[in-house]
Amino acid sequence: AQTVTQSQPEMSVQEAETVTLSCTYDTSENNYYLFWYKQPPSRQMILVIRQEAYKQQNATENRFSVNFQKAAKSFSLKISDSQLGDTAMYFCAFMKPADAGNMLTFGGGTRLMVKP
Amino acid sequence: DVKVTQSSRYLVKRTGEKVFLECVQDMDHENMFWYRQDPGLGLRLIYFSYDVKMKEKGDIPEGYSVSREKKERFSLILESASTNQTSMYLCASSLFPRAHYGYTFGSGTRLTVV
């Protein structure tokens, strides 16, 4: 079974600065997908960014980028120019595409507070 | 705008009650999921369904059952609610086989069992 670990339960950052959230995972699979989801106080989970394991290039979405280290099984999220609206819970998640139903396995989450 | 709708945002039930949590999606997605969210534990999969009347156990199915009679609706049932089932419950849906595009989530139901 896959496991996903987020070692930082809480983090804070000043507005406009850069912050990196850590995620490691354990799998014996070679092909899989990794995700970062954001859950603001409204509770609506929002997909932030996704990475396909067979792609070496790190995914980027505007101010959000990932550092994907396949050999180290590490998938960190970098948020540049942090904004107050980035305050949320962030969850790292793993998907093995061959699974029936394509289940997501989530980490424990990191609560990020952006301070003005 | 695509949507997953959970019928209740907050729910308070008594120990021993039978509880129904309803989830409806309007995206014609094949897959539907029920997760439970607890602090420090992230989201844990209770049950999922990849087709009408089909269901599979997730990681923590004990004390729960599900029903999917129509493609758009996936219900989570607590047969006899207990205080350790106090939690946030999240429903989600996805395409199959293109689930790697990501899930669409509902806004969650915060259930308190007293």
Side-chain angles (χ1 to χ4, degrees):
Chain A
Q2 283 66 233
T3 59
V4 179
T5 302
Q6 294 177 248
S7 59
Q8 306 147 315
E10 293 186 357
M11 295 188 73
S12 63
V13 63
Q14 291 295 131
E15 196 175 7
E17 293 188 349
T18 296
V19 64
T20 299
L21 280 57
S22 300
C23 173
T24 58
Y25 58 93
D26 186 23
T27 185
S28 58
E29 301 293 324
N30 189 50
N31 186 27
Y32 49 87
Y33 300 93
L34 295 163
F35 304 81
W36 279 98
Y37 278 88
K38 169 185 176 181
Q39 186 183 42
S42 67
R43 303 186 337 206
Q44 183 69 54
M45 294 276 278
I46 302 164
L47 177 61
V48 175
I49 200 166
R50 56 187 285 274
Q51 175 80 40
E52 299 170 18
Y54 63 86
K55 289 187 176 179
Q56 292 186 342
Q57 187 173 4
N58 289 325
T60 300
E61 289 287 343
N62 300 313
R63 297 182 296 107
F64 299 87
S65 62
V66 298
N67 183 7
F68 174 49
Q69 301 288 330
K70 191 173 184 179
K73 297 180 182 175
S74 171
F75 183 60
S76 60
L77 175 69
K78 185 172 83 171
I79 306 174
S80 304
D81 185 25
S82 297
Q83 300 175 0
L84 297 179
D86 295 334
T87 292
M89 283 290 293
Y90 286 83
F91 292 97
C92 179
F94 173 102
M95 178 187 287
K96 188 173 69 171
D99 270 347
N102 307 115
M103 293 171 288
L104 274 174
T105 300
F106 287 86
T110 296
R111 184 176 301 278
L112 176 67
M113 172 79 70
V114 180
K115 298 180 178 178
Chain B
D1 195 17
V2 295
K3 270 185 117 172
V4 174
T5 303
Q6 294 185 230
S7 55
S8 302
R9 191 162 173 84
Y10 296 95
L11 212 52
V12 180
K13 294 292 181 180
R14 295 194 178 278
T15 302
E17 275 193 80
K18 190 169 186 176
V19 181
F20 293 85
L21 302 183
E22 306 289 345
C23 175
V24 178
Q25 51 99 358
D26 64 1
M27 297 163 285
D28 202 33
H29 282 174
E30 292 83 2
N31 293 337
M32 295 190 75
F33 308 86
W34 275 106
Y35 283 86
R36 170 177 171 158
Q37 181 179 355
D38 298 290
L41 298 178
L43 281 70
R44 293 177 292 166
L45 182 64
I46 304 172
Y47 268 97
F48 70 96
S49 169
Y50 52 89
D51 201 353
V52 175
K53 296 191 186 294
M54 305 302 289
K55 59 186 179 184
E56 294 287 343
K57 294 180 180 179
D59 298 319
I60 51 165
E62 296 77 19
Y64 304 95
S65 62
V66 290
S67 172
R68 194 169 181 197
E69 296 295 320
K70 294 184 178 181
K71 190 175 185 180
E72 67 271 20
R73 186 180 296 271
F74 191 38
S75 303
L76 179 69
I77 304 157
L78 286 67
E79 297 290 344
S80 177
S82 64
T83 54
N84 62 12
Q85 292 178 309
T86 290
S87 187
M88 171 82 82
Y89 291 88
L90 289 169
C91 176
S93 70
S94 77
L95 289 166
F96 181 82
R98 293 184 297 280
H100 57 275
Y101 288 170
Y103 289 7
T104 301
F105 283 86
S107 295
T109 295
R110 188 173 295 282
L111 173 68
T112 302
V113 182
V114 297

